[in-house]
Amino acid sequence: MAAFPLPPGSTIGVLGGGQLGRMLAEAASRLGFDVVVLERDADSPAGRVAVRTLVGAYDDPEALKALAEAADVVTYEFENVPAASLDALASLGVEVAPGPKALSAAQDRVDEKTFLGAHGVATVAFAGASTPAEAAAAVAKIGVPCLMKTRREGYDGKGQRWVEHVADAEAVFAALGGRPVIVEAPADFVRELSVIAARGRDGAIVAYPLAENHHEDGILRRTLAPAKASPALSEQAERIAAKVLAGLEYVGVVGIELFELTDGRLLVNEIAPRVHNTGHWTQDGCEVDQFEQHVRAVAGWPLAPARAIAQVEMLNLLGAEVDAWPKFAAEPESRLHLYGKREAKPGRKMGHVNRVKPLR
Ligand code: AMP
């Protein structure tokens, strides 16, 4: 096992080669670290910034062995890494951060909400189901309308459907693939918010100001941050973040998606055990962004302040929207972040723009 804090010149391993890995690699290189990426595709967005790509699946034993040999610490940009891969890396003598507790809680929606409830963090009412009959019972218990989601591997609104009638429960269960599901009560929210927070190896915690998020078809389109929020709302979010981070013995940056209810209460929708799309505004709106903060945490460095220095509107550039880069490049208030993806498939996250204004 490496000794922390890792000195500059150490190597950080990243499981996953997408845009989050790319921006982690950029931040890591600024602090003098080398990044090695493990990714199936030899030509990935992160791989083109890292010093090296190990080409392989996340559960390829040879690739994991090579990663453990190359890296002083390993992190991930994607929460569907198999838990067995983290165990394999640990048994090869390299630490993975965030650790297995965070990964397993975030991979399964029932485990996630059970963990939150046990740590005094509010969520919508929910029930798990693994068979058509259990799905019907869960819908009857939660009431309609309700949302049925696959327990595992849903993202960007995929793998979920509304159930309008109790009689539809078995059909919706089948339409979701007959896999284990969670049935959730609807959150009557006024806004969707998120808090990006970090915990260091010494247990120190910082939280960025709240972000307000707007989705279309389950995909994030726009983030406004810092969100308009009373001190009480901000403190509520910070308390939630502290409970989640301490409860998971977390090291690194977490993204916590929240529903703001009409009565001012915050419910947690989802925990992402990684840097998060709703934290991209921190690149141009904060002294130190979420990517550097994550690198600092996993390397055992002190965390940096998470203060805002500007107001940001972050726009995701999906698919062919990225072709408008000359327009954004010509806007004095816009900072363009492009991921270097070779092909602009519809809905694919190709880049983002941070439109920066003075802090209000
Ligand atoms: P998720 O995949 O769980 O992040 O859900 C994607 C989106 O669906 C969220 O950003 C919300 O807009 C919506 N959503 C998810 N769960 C609920 C819920 N229990 N009640 C109302 N809307 C929800």
Side-chain angles (χ1 to χ4, degrees):
M1 287 276 173
F4 293 98
L6 294 180
S10 304
T11 297
I12 298 178
V14 178
L15 295 166
Q19 66 268 18
L20 300 178
R22 179 181 177 98
M23 291 183 276
L24 281 172
E26 289 166 351
S29 86
R30 272 202 313 271
L31 299 182
F33 294 112
D34 284 342
V35 166
V36 172
V37 164
L38 172 57
E39 158 68 39
R40 216 186 269 272
D41 183 355
D43 178 44
S44 69
R48 294 209 300 283
V49 172
V51 295
R52 196 167 142 211
T53 298
L54 297 165
V55 181
Y58 302 130
D59 57 356
D60 174 343
E62 287 306 311
L64 289 169
K65 189 158 168 275
L67 185 65
E69 276 165 13
D72 297 294
V73 69
V74 171
T75 188
Y76 43 92
E77 56 124 44
F78 173 69
E79 60 271 36
N80 290 324
V81 172
S85 300
L86 264 56
D87 296 343
L89 287 165
S91 66
L92 290 162
V94 66
E95 198 178 306
V96 184
K101 199 169 174 184
L103 187 70
S104 64
Q107 281 181 340
D108 182 302
R109 294 182 190 274
V110 172
D111 292 352
E112 181 175 63
K113 288 194 165 59
T114 305
F115 159 81
L116 289 166
H119 287 80
V121 178
T123 68
V124 292
F126 68 98
S130 301
T131 64
E134 284 175 14
V139 169
K141 180 177 165 205
I142 299 298
V144 285
C146 59
L147 204 50
M148 196 182 288
K149 305 178 179 176
T150 55
R151 274 179 73 152
R152 301 177 76 89
E153 286 169 11
Y155 68 97
D156 284 350
K158 294 190 176 71
Q160 55 180 274
R161 300 228 181 161
W162 283 98
V163 186
E164 302 294 340
H165 308 283
V166 179
D168 297 341
E170 296 194 11
V172 175
F173 179 78
L176 290 173
R179 291 177 288 163
V181 294
I182 186 170
V183 175
E184 295 184 5
D188 184 18
F189 59 83
V190 286
R191 284 192 298 178
E192 291 194 71
L193 301 171
S194 60
V195 57
I196 306 295
R199 184 169 176 273
R201 286 186 182 274
D202 57 359
I205 288 175
V206 296
Y208 287 93
L210 279 165
E212 176 182 321
N213 306 311
H214 297 267
H215 299 87
E216 272 167 38
D217 301 325
I219 300 181
L220 181 71
R221 295 305 324 229
R222 191 163 162 256
T223 294
L224 303 172
K228 278 196 183 128
S230 66
L233 192 73
S234 299
E235 281 161 25
Q236 204 188 146
E238 285 163 23
R239 277 198 303 276
I240 290 171
K243 285 179 188 168
V244 168
L245 289 168
L248 293 174
E249 297 156 36
Y250 202 91
V251 172
V253 163
V254 72
I256 304 175
E257 295 178 14
L258 303 163
F259 295 130
E260 182 188 8
L261 305 186
T262 39
D263 63 7
R265 275 189 316 135
L266 293 174
L267 302 183
V268 171
N269 173 35
E270 208 166 53
I271 304 170
R274 53 172 168 78
V275 287
H276 197 243
N277 195 170
T278 69
H280 291 1
W281 72 276
T282 61
Q283 290 174 307
D284 300 296
C286 293
E287 287 166 321
V288 169
D289 69 28
Q290 62 166 348
F291 300 100
E292 177 174 332
Q293 196 76 270
H294 185 74
V295 171
R296 283 169 168 259
V298 303
W301 287 29
L303 296 184
R307 275 192 300 271
I309 51 168
Q311 195 69 41
V312 176
E313 177 189 26
M314 190 285 308
L315 301 174
N316 268 341
L317 301 177
L318 304 180
E321 288 167 7
V322 73
D323 296 342
W325 65 265
K327 172 179 97 93
F328 295 115
E331 287 176 359
E333 73 280 19
S334 289
R335 303 285 171 276
L336 199 48
H337 300 260
L338 301 178
Y339 309 150
K341 294 186 183 175
R342 305 286 191 202
E343 205 190 336
K345 290 184 199 143
R348 191 171 196 205
K349 290 176 179 169
M350 301 300 292
H352 65 273
V353 175
N354 283 330
R355 287 196 166 127
V356 183
K357 284 188 265 176
L359 208 51
R360 52 181 178 225

